[in-house]
């Protein structure tokens, strides 16, 4: 019996986009996957169509910006250079299902789907993706709102990363996304011992991106004292490494804090397993930051380590439900220091034990059942 064909559209470097890679791996178990996006061929696809990195996924051309400025949303839908390239490369192709990763991929998905259903996988709340940036808020946010209104009700399936963001989509666009969290694959690991002597070993993994408050985390660890070390496994952001360089400078006077080479997503839990507590204090500078439930939290869970975070809604809910960590009162340095100094080694041992229990329940193998259900249901119609 011939397997269904599925097109996965993602205007990202797919080969290093953890969510899309997991998505493809799950779809590939039940269908043949063709991917289109930036960068080299990801694993488990039958074909990859590469979009040049110079082709923006937003209408960042003179004519495109003019359309945004004049509020000509319909005209701007297909104006992004990456969308134009994708449509041309997919001309005449037929698929049984088209997956649009994020709202910006929706116009392309509906331009090439023919009579195939479209599944929208929404990685965050699209209309407020970068509303902390004034130009984005003025020009791009209204376009994202338009795309959600125009296309989400036409999708055969929608998914998103957290319960609170799902509620926003339901309230504003009359769709009810299924939950598909950024869970890590299950790892056969055990909690590592917490030495009776020596410092509590803190760790953070992710991207060096402005707004994630890593400079405050570094300062808090300095102020917390000799009982704490911090290792940061960071990928440089799209700013040419400027923020990464700032963090490097901030750590130079403190040997207890190190910037480590980044680790491949699949290897992260094993690397993090050697630590005691994974940390992340991101201020609620926009809606997505306020509601974030990022990859790193699930990496920490699979690593079987404790978790220390700020009072971010989704992270706090998960950490407190499984009793696997601590939550600071706010995101200020003084509160982070207070949070760190309150941690005892007995607590860390207990958190690791609870994270081990959570790792069996919260993993991509469980989450991927949603993907298999969507693909088999929509391709069997």
């Amino acid at each position: 019996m011939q397997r269904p064909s599925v097109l996965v559209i993602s205007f990202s470097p797919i080969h290093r986009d953890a969510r899309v890679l997991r998505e493809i791996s799950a779809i590939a178990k039940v269908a043949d996957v063709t991917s289109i996006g930036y960068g080299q061929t990801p694993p488990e696809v039958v074909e990859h169509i590469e979009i040049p990195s110079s082709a923006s996924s937003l209408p960042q051309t003179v004519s495109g910006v003019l359309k945004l400025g004049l509020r000509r949303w319909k005209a701007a839908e297909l104006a992004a250079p990456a969308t134009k390239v994708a449509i041309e490369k997919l001309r005449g192709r037929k698929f049984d299902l088209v997956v649009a990763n994020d709202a910006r991929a929706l116009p392309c998905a509906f331009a090439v789907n023919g009579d195939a259903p479209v599944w929208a996988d929404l990685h965050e709340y699209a209309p407020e993706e970068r509303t902390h940036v004034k130009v984005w808020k003025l020009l791009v946010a209204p376009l994202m709102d338009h795309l959600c209104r125009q296309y989400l009700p036409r999708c055969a399936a929608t998914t998103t990363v957290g319960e609170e963001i799902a509620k926003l989509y339901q309230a504003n666009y009359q769709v009810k996304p299924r939950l598909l969290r950024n869970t890590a694959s299950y790892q056969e690991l055990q909690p590592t011992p917490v030495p009776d002597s020596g410092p509590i070993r803190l760790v953070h993994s992710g991207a060096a991106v402005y707004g994630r408050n890593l400079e405050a985390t570094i300062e808090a660890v300095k102020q917390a004292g000799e009982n704490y070390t911090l290792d940061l496994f960071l990928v440089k952001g799209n700013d040419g490494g400027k923020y990464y360089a700032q963090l490097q400078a901030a750590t130079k006077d403190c040997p207890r804090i190190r910037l480590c080479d980044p680790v491949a997503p699949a290897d992260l839990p094993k690397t993090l397993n050697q630590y005691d507590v994974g940390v992340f204090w991101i201020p609620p500078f926009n809606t997505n930051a306020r509601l974030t439930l990022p990859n790193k939290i699930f990496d920490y869970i699979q690593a079987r380590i404790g978790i220390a975070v700020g009072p971010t809604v989704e992270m706090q809910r998960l950490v407190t439900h499984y009793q696997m960590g601590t939550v600071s009162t706010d995101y200020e340095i003084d509160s982070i220091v207070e949070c760190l100094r309150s941690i005892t080694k007995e607590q860390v041992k207990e958190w690791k034990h609870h994270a081990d229990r959570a790792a069996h329940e919260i993993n991509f193998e469980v989450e991927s059942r949603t993907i298999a259900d969507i693909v088999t249901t929509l391709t069997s119609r």
Side-chain angles (χ1 to χ4, degrees), residues 54-87:
S54 58
S56 171
S57 63
L58 292 172
Q60 291 176 277
T61 60
V62 173
S63 62
V65 171
L66 184 62
K67 288 168 185 172
L68 294 179
L70 294 174
R71 302 296 194 254
R72 295 174 58 199
W73 311 129
K74 192 67 181 173
E77 287 181 4
L78 303 176
T83 300
K84 291 179 178 179
V85 171
I87 291 172

Side-chain angles (χ1 to χ4, degrees), residues 190-196 201 273-276 348-349 352:
Q190 296 295 324
T192 50
V194 181
D196 291 329
R201 300 160 298 179
N273 181 245
Q274 306 305 311
Y275 294 88
D276 296 319
V348 174
K349 292 174 186 177
K352 287 190 171 192

Side-chain angles (χ1 to χ4, degrees), residues 208 210 236-249:
Y210 285 107
K236 292 179 182 178
N238 295 327
D239 60 352
K242 290 180 181 178
Y243 184 52
Y244 186 89
Q246 290 179 21
L247 298 177
Q248 275 184 315

Side-chain angles (χ1 to χ4, degrees), residues 305-349:
I305 59 176
I307 300 172
V309 294
T312 306
V313 180
E314 297 270 19
M315 288 194 285
Q316 179 175 4
R317 181 184 294 158
L318 196 63
V319 168
T320 55
H321 176 77
Y322 283 94
Q323 296 180 302
M324 55 188 172
T326 184
V327 180
S328 63
T329 54
D330 58 45
Y331 308 91
E332 300 300 321
I333 291 172
D334 288 349
S335 296
I336 298 172
V337 172
E338 182 182 354
C339 180
L340 291 175
R341 286 178 175 167
S342 71
I343 298 172
T344 68
K345 293 201 171 183
E346 285 305 312
Q347 282 180 317
V348 174
K349 292 174 186 177

Side-chain angles (χ1 to χ4, degrees), residues 103 122 124-131 136-137 140-149 152 165 168-169 172-173 287-288:
L122 305 159
E124 54 190 334
Y125 188 58
E128 298 190 37
E129 183 182 337
R130 291 177 59 78
T131 46
W136 201 99
K137 184 175 182 177
V140 183
L143 174 64
M144 293 297 132
D145 175 67
H146 167 80
L147 297 182
C148 290
R149 291 187 190 282
L152 289 184
I165 288 177
L168 284 177
Y169 278 116
N172 295 321
Y173 302 109
T287 295
N288 286 298

